[in-house]
Amino acid sequence: MCFLLVEDMMAAGHDDKKKRPFLVRVGKALRPLFNALIARGSLVPNTPLLDNGLFPWAVALEKAAPLMQKEFQAIMAEREKIPPLRDLSPDHERIAPDSRWKSFFLYGYGIPVPENCAKAPVTAQLVAGIPGLCSALFSVLEPGGEIPPHKGVTKGMLNAHQGLGVPRDRDNCWIKVADHTLHWDDGRLFIFDDTYRHTVQNNTDEVRGILFIQFERPTRGLGWLMQRIFLGGVKKSAFVRDAQNNIERWNRIQAELEKV
């Protein structure tokens, strides 16, 4: 259920000397066409940053921020139990080169992680109401953590970040999307298109914690059809199945440890 799709996802996990699966090869070849058609059919601007006013649910999340922060803080009290992204999805090793980027998944492609949702019921209920929800997770970046420059693979999804635990030295904790440098604020949410190159750095001595959401871009016509085809293929890919199995395995291990 780890769905942070990146530009090299189609090649990830495959030795260059091995022939990539048919779905991977076809998907990579058709991706520029799919993205062009999705962008043409988009009901929102095809810009790096998007206005929160286009998405009514964003207001509800910001209003509920204090409750969500309490749930996040409770989970962070046992932050050693939050798995590194690279452990859940080895295909992300290029953009998660060490264990400082951690992910606590609530939903992946609309599928809940029940044991995690039970630990953050308010947040889980709120994100479940987002139209076209793909993924929702608490994303933790440890001090000194960095996410190298990369791009998402599909115009079919948009990203939202909401600050839940922001370092006091906010100027040294940022995300750059295209030519825009953004800083997180507790409770505040911003939305961006991750097909534009972006990178993240936490150059502070504190943890950065956010609610990370991926949701389907509002589209119509042929763009909507291309979106359905592409995302449907991704859902059936080994990339997704492996990550889902890893999340389930991690949670089973943690449950067994709690019994000791």
Side-chain angles (χ1 to χ4, degrees), residues 247-258:
I247 291 175
E248 293 173 353
R249 177 180 57 82
W250 180 277
N251 284 343
R252 284 197 303 270
I253 291 172
Q254 295 303 317
E256 289 301 319
L257 290 173
E258 290 175 2

Side-chain angles (χ1 to χ4, degrees), residues 23-40:
L23 179 62
V24 171
R25 289 182 281 121
V26 171
K28 187 172 184 179
L30 294 178
R31 186 175 67 194
L33 173 62
F34 277 42
N35 279 342
L37 293 172
I38 292 170
R40 187 179 301 173

Side-chain angles (χ1 to χ4, degrees), residues 2-199:
C2 188
F3 308 104
L4 314 181
L5 302 178
V6 294
E7 59 185 336
D8 56 352
M9 184 203 78
M10 296 298 182
H14 299 284
D15 188 293
D16 290 340
K17 296 180 180 179
K18 296 178 182 179
K19 189 176 183 180
R20 296 173 189 164
F22 177 75
L23 179 62
V24 171
R25 289 182 281 121
V26 171
K28 187 172 184 179
L30 294 178
R31 186 175 67 194
L33 173 62
F34 277 42
N35 279 342
L37 293 172
I38 292 170
R40 187 179 301 173
S42 179
L43 295 172
V44 297
N46 182 31
T47 52
L49 306 181
L50 292 100
D51 188 336
N52 286 9
L54 296 168
F55 308 96
W57 50 264
V59 175
L61 262 64
E62 290 191 333
K63 286 183 178 179
L67 296 174
M68 298 162 67
Q69 285 177 287
K70 287 183 179 179
E71 292 183 338
F72 173 73
Q73 289 164 2
I75 290 167
M76 286 296 291
E78 299 181 300
R79 91 175 193 238
E80 72 281 355
K81 296 182 180 180
I82 303 176
L85 175 61
R86 60 183 288 131
D87 288 358
L88 299 179
S89 179
D91 289 344
H92 282 92
E93 287 182 354
R94 190 184 73 79
I95 62 169
D98 54 39
S99 297
R100 284 181 284 189
W101 185 9
K102 303 178 185 296
S103 302
F104 185 88
F105 273 82
L106 302 173
Y107 285 84
Y109 270 102
I111 302 172
V113 182
E115 54 269 49
N116 290 357
C117 288
K119 295 179 179 179
V122 172
T123 306
Q125 182 176 6
L126 285 166
V127 297
I130 296 174
L133 176 69
C134 294
S135 301
L137 59 139
F138 294 133
S139 176
V140 175
L141 193 62
E142 299 280 355
E146 178 181 0
I147 303 173
H150 63 285
K151 296 180 183 178
V153 300
T154 177
K155 287 284 184 183
M157 292 193 296
L158 296 171
N159 288 4
H161 285 188
Q162 183 173 10
L164 297 178
V166 179
R168 286 165 293 183
D169 184 10
R170 66 186 294 278
D171 290 343
N172 283 309
C173 185
W174 48 262
I175 177 171
K176 185 173 183 179
V177 183
D179 294 326
H180 305 271
T181 299
L182 307 173
H183 303 274
W184 297 275
D185 291 302
D186 283 330
R188 304 301 296 173
L189 182 146
F190 57 80
I191 299 168
F192 65 98
D193 178 343
D194 79 340
T195 62
Y196 291 91
R197 187 170 294 272
H198 56 289
T199 183

Side-chain angles (χ1 to χ4, degrees), residues 189-247:
L189 182 146
F190 57 80
I191 299 168
F192 65 98
D193 178 343
D194 79 340
T195 62
Y196 291 91
R197 187 170 294 272
H198 56 289
T199 183
V200 178
Q201 288 191 17
N202 179 10
N203 299 317
T204 77
D205 58 3
E206 295 182 279
V207 169
R208 182 229 61 178
I210 63 170
L211 175 65
F212 182 111
I213 300 166
Q214 285 189 319
F215 62 99
E216 294 182 13
R217 174 189 290 270
T219 53
R220 63 186 172 191
L222 187 57
W224 177 87
L225 178 60
M226 295 299 101
Q227 183 184 48
R228 301 267 63 75
I229 293 172
F230 189 91
L231 293 179
V234 171
K235 290 179 184 180
K236 296 178 181 179
S237 69
F239 176 84
V240 168
R241 291 196 307 271
D242 291 347
Q244 179 178 357
N245 291 336
N246 286 338
I247 291 175

